[in-house]
Amino acid sequence: MIGIGSGVRVLVATKPVDFRKGADGLAALAKEALGQDPFPGTVIVFRARRADRVKIIAWDGSGLVMLWKALDEGSFKWPPISDGVMKLSTAELAALLDGLDWTRIHPPRRRRPSGVR
């Protein structure tokens, strides 16, 4: 698996997309239909109609990267189908890609420091 830093914004397009699209087509779809720009470091996750396939696009600074995965058995745990996007943590994305129930992953709450001691 390709590592994704913890500060990266991860968005899931909750409505299935045409999986014949390549990286450029998905980037255009993200910008036009979802109002999201994949170029400033945002990772965008797309699902197929069949819940066992996923495509991810991200800009790595020198080019657009696309990851495609199909599970051999079972299906990915997806949010309910609707228009728009939802945000995931990088830990939730890792669980999703492993075919696990990412809704059971809860990143720790980070408290802001109250001051210098």
Side-chain angles (χ1 to χ4, degrees):
M1 177 61 198
I2 298 169
I4 298 175
S6 62
V8 174
R9 195 171 112 185
V10 178
L11 300 175
V12 176
T14 56
K15 191 173 184 179
V17 300
D18 179 357
F19 251 45
R20 294 174 292 183
K21 291 185 183 296
D24 292 329
L26 291 173
L29 180 68
K31 189 157 185 116
E32 294 166 7
L34 303 175
Q36 302 296 326
D37 187 0
F39 298 111
T42 302
V43 173
I44 303 178
V45 181
F46 296 94
R47 63 170 291 175
R49 291 198 190 284
R50 291 177 33 195
D52 66 341
R53 293 179 279 164
V54 63
K55 282 188 179 180
I56 300 172
I57 61 168
W59 179 260
D60 73 351
S62 63
L64 194 58
V65 177
M66 184 175 77
L67 172 76
W68 179 86
K69 182 173 182 176
L71 291 177
D72 288 335
E73 294 180 13
S75 60
F76 292 106
K77 170 80 172 159
W78 291 107
I81 294 175
S82 63
D83 287 334
V85 296
M86 70 175 291
K87 188 174 180 182
L88 291 183
S89 70
T90 53
E92 291 168 330
L93 175 62
L96 170 76
L97 292 177
D98 282 339
L100 302 174
D101 184 355
W102 58 268
T103 62
R104 295 180 174 259
I105 306 294
H106 301 288
R109 289 199 171 121
R110 300 179 196 259
R111 293 184 10 201
R112 291 183 154 214
S114 58
V116 179
R117 294 181 196 214

